[in-house]
Amino acid sequence: MNGSCRGLARDNWKSALAVVAGLTAGLAVLLVGDFAWAQPIAPTPPTGGVSISMSGGADDVAGVLKLVFLMTVLALVPALLMTMTCFTRIIIVFSFLRQAMGTQQTPPNQVLIGLALFLTVFIMAPTLAEVEQKAYEPFIAGEISTTEAIEQGSVPLRDFMLKQTRDKDLGLFYQVSGKPKPTTVEEVPMMVVIPAYILSELKTAFEIGFLIYIPFLIVDMLIASVLMSMGMMMLPPVVVSLPFKLLLFVMIDGWFLIVGTLIQSFA
């Protein structure tokens, strides 16, 4: 039973990584265009002298520029995918937690980022599975084109982002862009959904961070009051309050509460 569970978990991780890789390549292809421009240029045989010849003229220059643009898009796609998922909210909340506890670089950045990435894959698993079923598998089988795969694969991501996006944020970008307001969800373009979603995620993360700060702030105020009443004003309150904040966080099982709250916030 354990072996089958581990095998199933490995298959889920492989499918999730395959979907992410497919979305990355597909988005780059959609932004750049078809691969027809990437045909190899036949070399010109030497004619007795040294010369530099551009047989394709402007087409060759356009092909080189498109190749440079493709590499640029591929470098930016991972950042776009992170902002289009729940990674932003999770990593900001973890940063607020570490600052509220006053533990400096504990846990390290690598640990927080790794935990945030694994939680992101866990939360986005249903959405990624839907993308794989509707876009990735038909595209690999040759049933649909690249453009159709991107269009069908963007629908689950758009639905996920719209569930977490406030109407006020959507209205802001519609007002700035001057576009007419849509009547259905399908009419909302991704160029409006993505920045509105990021803005909503930042606000939600800061709200959760404020709630996390309150109990630790109370502990700092109590410790500072006790030290002042004892005349120990030269002793930094942070040094004394840190063990009490760690004790409080461990006693209430803080990591369980915070991770559970973050997961439920995307339900």
Side-chain angles (χ1 to χ4, degrees), residues 61-92:
V61 177
V64 173
L65 293 178
K66 289 181 179 180
L67 179 60
V68 174
F69 182 69
L70 173 62
M71 300 302 296
T72 305
V73 170
L74 289 176
L76 295 177
V77 163
L80 293 176
L81 291 178
M82 284 187 179
T83 54
M84 293 166 59
T85 60
C86 55
F87 179 82
T88 302
R89 182 189 304 185
I90 295 174
I91 195 63
I92 291 177

Side-chain angles (χ1 to χ4, degrees), residues 216-235:
F216 296 109
L217 180 61
I218 293 175
V219 173
D220 288 333
M221 294 176 63
L222 290 176
I223 296 298
S225 300
V226 172
L227 292 178
M228 290 183 64
S229 63
M230 296 177 60
M232 303 175 63
M233 292 177 293
M234 299 301 295
L235 181 64

Side-chain angles (χ1 to χ4, degrees), residues 98-176:
R98 188 172 63 180
Q99 293 178 8
M101 294 180 62
T103 54
Q104 301 299 326
Q105 296 298 323
T106 304
N109 292 330
Q110 294 83 352
V111 175
L112 294 182
I113 294 175
L115 179 58
L117 287 174
F118 278 100
L119 289 177
T120 300
V121 175
F122 178 80
I123 296 172
M124 297 294 298
T127 303
L128 294 178
E130 189 175 357
V131 172
E132 181 182 13
Q133 180 181 2
K134 293 183 177 180
Y136 184 72
E137 291 180 353
F139 174 73
I140 294 299
E143 300 175 357
I144 57 177
S145 63
T146 303
T147 305
E148 293 174 347
I150 295 299
E151 292 177 355
Q152 297 181 14
S154 62
V155 173
L157 287 175
R158 181 177 59 191
D159 294 340
F160 171 81
M161 289 188 289
L162 285 176
K163 289 181 181 179
Q164 310 298 328
T165 305
R166 296 178 174 85
D167 295 336
K168 180 180 179 181
D169 297 329
L170 279 175
L172 171 64
F173 288 98
Y174 268 105
Q175 180 181 0
V176 173

Side-chain angles (χ1 to χ4, degrees), residues 229-250:
S229 63
M230 296 177 60
M232 303 175 63
M233 292 177 293
M234 299 301 295
L235 181 64
V238 178
V239 177
V240 182
S241 64
L242 179 58
F244 290 97
K245 290 189 289 187
L246 291 176
L247 178 62
L248 174 65
F249 190 74
V250 172

